[in-house]
Amino acid sequence: LRQMDALAGATLDRMAAGEHLAQRGEVLIDAATADALGPAVTMGEWRGEEEKFGVVEQLSVSTRSGQLSVSSCRSLTIDN
């Protein structure tokens, strides 16, 4: 008996829709994810017609090892 992880359903459908809207080097998230992240994320341009995806401009969250910051989703810094 083998166990396999699978990604399917609405999550996969949203990922596929967002992937077509992203340009090289960008990270896009849907509105529900942006709402869940709240003030930890700064959003740029929103794209899409039926379902909206926003370009992540900056993400900053606290971790056990320090502060994790991503600016323009092209550089990653961890401050201890």
Side-chain angles (χ1 to χ4, degrees):
L1 181 67
R2 284 183 15 182
Q3 180 180 354
M4 296 175 59
D5 291 328
L7 191 60
T11 300
L12 189 59
D13 293 340
R14 282 195 313 274
M15 286 175 47
E19 185 258 338
H20 292 292
L21 298 172
Q23 297 176 10
R24 184 178 179 98
E26 292 181 328
V27 173
L28 273 60
I29 58 175
D30 64 3
T33 303
D35 288 343
L37 290 169
V41 66
T42 302
M43 301 302 297
E45 173 187 5
W46 286 90
R47 301 178 187 157
E49 292 182 18
E50 290 182 27
E51 186 163 2
K52 298 291 184 184
F53 293 85
V55 179
V56 174
E57 292 294 327
Q58 184 168 349
L59 174 65
S60 183
V61 293
S62 296
T63 66
R64 281 187 260 166
S65 60
Q67 187 73 14
L68 172 67
S69 297
V70 180
S71 295
S72 299
C73 293
R74 289 177 175 79
S75 65
L76 172 67
T77 59
I78 300 175
D79 301 323
N80 291 327

